Amino acid sequence: MTDGQADRQLLIASNRGPVSFSRSNGTLTARRGGGGMVSGLSAAAEDTPMVWVCAALSDADREAASNSPGGLLDATETGGGAAVRMLNIPPKVYESAYNRVANSTLWFVHHMLYDTPNQPSFGPALTGEWDAFRQYNEMFADALATAAQEAGGAGRTSAQAVIQDYHLCLAPRMLAERVPGMPIAHFSHTPWAPPEYYRLLPWEVGHEILAGILGADHAGFLSQRWAHAFMDCCETLLGAKVDRDRGLVSFAGHLTSIGVHPLGVDAAQLRARAAEPDVIEKMAALADATGGRRLIVRVDRTELSKNIVRGLEAYRELLRAHPEWHGKVVHLAFAYPSRGDLPEYREYTAAVQRLAAEIGEEFAAPGWDPVVLEVNDDYPRSLAACRLADVLLVNPIRDGMNLVAKEAPILSDRGCVVVLSTEAGAAAELGRHALLVNPFDVMQTMRALHEALTMPDEERSSRCSALAAEASATPPGRWLAQQLDALNHPLAG
Ligand code: G6P
């Protein structure tokens, strides 16, 4: 980081924060927040002081925020490196902004999840929901503007903000209007939809989102593909001037630099965590439960974009086409609860459970359970499974990055082969050393699983080391520092 940046107070904004509270036996207890984006930024917060603005997600969060002076929880209360300001957003506004607009609309567009003959259908409800989404973004912009004003003292000259993800796509422009001249970056942790699909959004909504992000001085993406899709949308739908070679978009008299910053893993820290006794205990339990058989592992949220059902179908085809694997392989499928407020997610979870049960009925034999499906989140058990995996299956329909594809090769004890979707952002870095598959092609996925299981030891371990090296190239601290460099030197290089 340069001297100029070191003087500026760093402000981070994201919907989900680095800490969440729960109330038990009359006391509030803090727990570190979950998910790839939060864990990456939390790791970066350990070396860079920051104020992190997020939404209070529960009554316990609201209570913790209102108990602290000015709603600011300091780093000692949050157990991490950041001071956290939790916003008390009115529940109705939050429900519309988070469940309706962010997760049922923007997430679906960027991951291309709609069953278009039936969905989406933007009716009268959208107007109110979109107003709520604006209000939610305004509350973040107000809090960031206040924090920027407060940052004037204590030898700091000013502040800079890095705003995260699709929930906060309007906030960059709103903040730039409130604090002119403040350096602002936005980072998208999702894919970006190509213009043909992005056009599904009502014109004003699509327009306002692009213009919102272009209020920032720097817009970051996890892969070149998503950055190009964003620039294509800016050019085609907004009429912005785009210079793809230099990564610059000019709109309404303002220039935004576009950057590709793939998030990686802090290998030393992850390995140290996976060497702790709770993980060792889970490894013993898993080895025992699977009888030392070959393991095909997946670890995901039960998320529509993760393509868990086709993954199970590919495994079923493997057992049908290759009876030699009967009794010799187990598929450990960890599919943890996610976004249970949305009916599509509850139905998807049921479909995953049904198919896993059907595979059991078709193939199970005394002493051999071909699929072990776990739906309760257990982090030490996930790390244990990654250490033991022979094959990791990562077959999303579309994914911003996919950090599990990076974590498993770093953790693997015996050289795990990664069967990886071409549609995951991680494929840009890992593709050469993984077995790439079209996530819709169940038979190709089945063949890749077979190839992974039969790959000679020497090849599997050399591929795994290459994957681990790629995966640890940009640990979170470096990833964030690169964005700050780009923000402060937009035209360099
Ligand atoms: C994943 C995505 C992020 C997103 C987050 C939200 O981690 O990669 O882009 O912000 O999910 O998940 P949540 O559980 O907070 O809805």
Side-chain angles (χ1 to χ4, degrees), residues 15-16 36-37 98 103 107 165-167 189-190 301 339:
N15 174 63
R16 191 178 285 278
M37 185 264 283
Y98 176 72
N103 286 346
W107 181 271
D165 239 348
Y166 57 102
H167 315 88
H189 292 264
T190 58
R301 293 184 295 119
R339 302 186 191 165

